Amino acid sequence: MKKFINWLKNVRPLKVATVFVLGFFLLFTQSCSAKGIAAQPPQQKAESAYIERYDPTKEYPLNAPKGGMNNFSDVDPRAEAGEKTAETKAKALRDNAKRNVDAKGIDSTEQYARNYRQGTPFGERVKNLGEDIGSSAEELREGVVKGTQRGLENIKENTQNAGEDLVRKGKQTTGND
């Protein structure tokens, strides 16, 4: 009780009046300042009653029917730039091949054979042909040897794996992990 009395003696009337005025001021300004808080919301006119909504699909190009699966293209429309680049590269390669053929002056295989017959003596042609056949046979022999070696290594590895797998499966079956 003494504490309460001491506290009441320390309270000054000016402090109480200040707190009371500030509280009243706060309540009065909040309830009376904005007239739209408790009012009815504004009504729209009949013309603007329907707001046009945002449609994100209008930002992306849509697939037009082109005759693919379900009458649509199988390619993403955003990838058309890649298709154009590939077509440009293919055209450049075709043009380069045509220039190479035109530069050698060969229009047909008969013309190539005629040019070959006229330009190189028969002895050299036979020698070149023999060298080509010899090198082709050597390449074939090397390829067969490498393929056979690789096949034997695969067979050896497979038989080792099969043996190990058989032992492992046997242990699993008997429960002796």
Side-chain angles (χ1 to χ4, degrees):
M1 188 71 175
K2 286 183 180 183
K3 288 183 182 181
F4 179 71
I5 293 174
N6 286 336
W7 177 79
L8 195 57
K9 287 180 182 179
N10 287 335
V11 174
R12 295 187 181 123
L14 185 61
K15 287 182 182 179
V16 173
T18 305
V19 170
F20 179 75
V21 169
L22 288 176
F24 182 75
F25 183 69
L26 179 69
L27 290 175
F28 182 75
T29 56
Q30 288 295 320
S31 63
C32 299
S33 66
K35 58 183 174 182
I37 292 176
Q40 186 176 4
Q43 299 295 318
Q44 296 179 351
K45 295 180 182 177
E47 305 92 44
S48 64
Y50 297 102
I51 299 172
E52 188 173 329
R53 69 180 184 91
Y54 171 70
D55 188 7
T57 59
K58 292 185 179 181
E59 293 179 8
Y60 302 107
L62 300 176
N63 283 343
K66 293 185 180 178
M69 183 176 187
N70 298 326
N71 289 329
F72 289 101
S73 173
D74 295 333
V75 181
D76 187 4
R78 293 171 284 188
E80 288 179 3
E83 285 181 28
K84 290 178 183 175
T85 304
E87 288 174 8
T88 305
K89 286 181 182 179
K91 184 178 183 306
L93 289 173
R94 280 193 305 264
D95 293 343
N96 187 24
K98 186 174 181 182
R99 278 194 307 270
N100 287 342
V101 168
D102 291 342
K104 295 191 182 209
I106 300 169
D107 293 330
S108 66
T109 55
E110 292 83 22
Q111 185 180 3
Y112 178 77
R114 196 174 338 116
N115 290 345
Y116 186 75
R117 283 188 213 124
Q118 292 173 356
T120 309
F122 181 72
E124 287 184 35
R125 283 185 287 170
V126 171
K127 182 180 174 186
N128 291 341
L129 187 60
E131 289 174 0
D132 290 344
I133 291 173
S135 65
S136 296
E138 181 64 27
E139 290 174 5
L140 179 64
R141 184 192 65 80
E142 290 174 1
V144 168
V145 168
K146 286 181 183 177
T148 305
Q149 287 175 347
R150 192 168 59 179
L152 290 174
E153 290 172 2
N154 285 343
I155 289 172
K156 181 180 175 184
E157 185 179 331
N158 288 343
T159 54
Q160 287 175 351
N161 289 342
E164 292 170 1
D165 191 40
L166 184 62
V167 169
R168 187 171 43 85
K169 292 289 184 182
K171 286 183 180 179
Q172 286 179 352
T173 304
T174 59
N176 295 333
D177 287 334

